[in-house]
Amino acid sequence: MPQKRATLIGFIAILLWSAIVGLIKSVSQGFGPVGGAALIYTCSAVLLLFTIGFPKIRRFPVSYLILGSVLFVCYELCLSLSLGFTHSGRQAIEVGMVNYLWPSMTILLSVIVNRQRTSPLIIPGIILAIAGIGFVLGGEQGFSFTEMAHNVMDNPLSYGLAFSGAIIWAIYCVVTKIIAEGCNGITLFFILTALTLWVKFLSSPQPEFVLSWRAGISLLFAAIAMGFGYAAWNVGILHGNVTVLAAASYFIPIISAVLAALMLHSTLTVSFWQGTALVCLGSLICWWSTRTITAKKLTSTCKNRG
């Protein structure tokens, strides 16, 4: 496949993932937080079976099969339920932004665990990303500890799940790179996530489904965004320009906020956009801090060989 075409497919994955926040919240409004999430992951798993297929589990390293499954399922539960249990569209967008701390956390964890070389730029990068969340949660007041505490205490479950999800996904990204040995268990992981959600749905009281055309369409698009998003990303990473796609992926928070605001009919403040920009900037700086060291190392190696 031509590199430009594969890169374009990778961009499609970024757009699909950016729509997840608004779509999950829309589905939960019709089918409930747990029921809606269960339906999304069930439909997504079916799509993945047709696009990627079911993996050959016997070839999986045992550590990846067990640890990878647990981490992935836990993250997807945190993501979907944190959005589903929000009280409003605006709160769902804020919760989604907290989840987008994972890129910075992934790089930080990679430096700690894998001893990946990095420049001092990673420190201001982390600070900017966290400060951005402060602006997002501060509402119209901007960076305000009082407003942040007030917003979080209004729904500690959703904000707590979103933050936990960011940490879990960072661990997943770092750990699976070490133990996966090139295996891709995404289809299996989606099936396990759907089964876990259905067990939760059937074992506890849940609100009745409120069927509507909007909820049905949101479910369809959410399943497509989840299922085809991963499939498209695999194509982009394998055959496209990885550097361009990696850089573009750090702008997902901005695209996600725009799409979610449109889908959920929410008005976002100037402070929110300032915070979102800081989250993206912080993540980019963290990413660039590792690239700077790599570039210097390659330059030094070339000079030595010359």
Side-chain angles (χ1 to χ4, degrees), residues 48-67:
L48 285 170
L49 283 171
F50 284 101
T51 55
I52 296 178
F54 193 79
K56 296 179 180 179
I57 300 178
R58 291 183 179 180
R59 297 183 179 179
F60 284 14
V62 176
S63 56
Y64 173 61
L65 183 60
I66 297 175
L67 189 57

Side-chain angles (χ1 to χ4, degrees), residues 121-199:
L121 281 174
I122 192 173
I123 298 175
I126 296 293
I127 293 174
L128 282 175
I130 295 175
I133 295 300
F135 275 92
V136 167
L137 299 184
E140 296 181 358
Q141 302 299 320
F143 194 94
S144 168
F145 287 108
T146 303
E147 287 299 317
M148 287 167 56
H150 179 268
N151 285 339
V152 171
M153 292 310 297
D154 178 60
N155 192 350
L157 176 62
S158 285
Y159 288 107
L161 285 173
F163 185 70
S164 299
I167 296 174
I168 292 170
W169 190 248
I171 297 173
Y172 173 85
C173 291
V174 173
V175 170
T176 53
K177 186 176 181 180
I178 301 172
I179 64 176
E181 297 180 10
C183 296
N184 182 5
I186 192 68
T187 303
L188 172 64
F189 296 163
F190 262 73
I191 292 173
L192 292 175
T193 303
L195 290 174
T196 303
L197 285 164
W198 282 120
V199 169

Side-chain angles (χ1 to χ4, degrees), residues 267-285:
T267 302
L268 302 175
T269 63
V270 174
S271 295
F272 176 91
W273 291 115
Q274 290 174 338
T276 301
L278 287 176
V279 171
C280 292
L281 180 60
S283 298
L284 277 169
I285 290 175

Side-chain angles (χ1 to χ4, degrees), residues 6-20 23 40-41 43-45 47-49 51-52 72 76 169 184 186-187 190 220-238 245 249 252:
T7 304
L8 178 60
I9 293 175
F11 281 130
I12 293 174
I14 290 174
L15 289 175
L16 290 173
W17 282 338
S18 298
I20 288 297
L23 289 171
I40 290 173
Y41 285 96
C43 295
S44 298
L47 288 175
L48 285 170
L49 283 171
T51 55
I52 296 178
F72 187 93
E76 296 297 341
W169 190 248
N184 182 5
I186 192 68
T187 303
F190 262 73
L220 174 63
F221 280 105
I224 291 174
M226 284 282 197
F228 286 156
Y230 280 100
W233 185 251
N234 281 341
V235 173
I237 289 299
L238 291 174
L245 289 175
S249 68
I252 288 179

Side-chain angles (χ1 to χ4, degrees), residues 18-27 83 218 256 259-260 263-264:
S18 298
I20 288 297
V21 170
L23 289 171
I24 289 179
K25 180 57 181 176
S26 296
V27 173
L83 295 170
S218 295
S256 175
L259 294 177
M263 284 187 278
L264 301 175

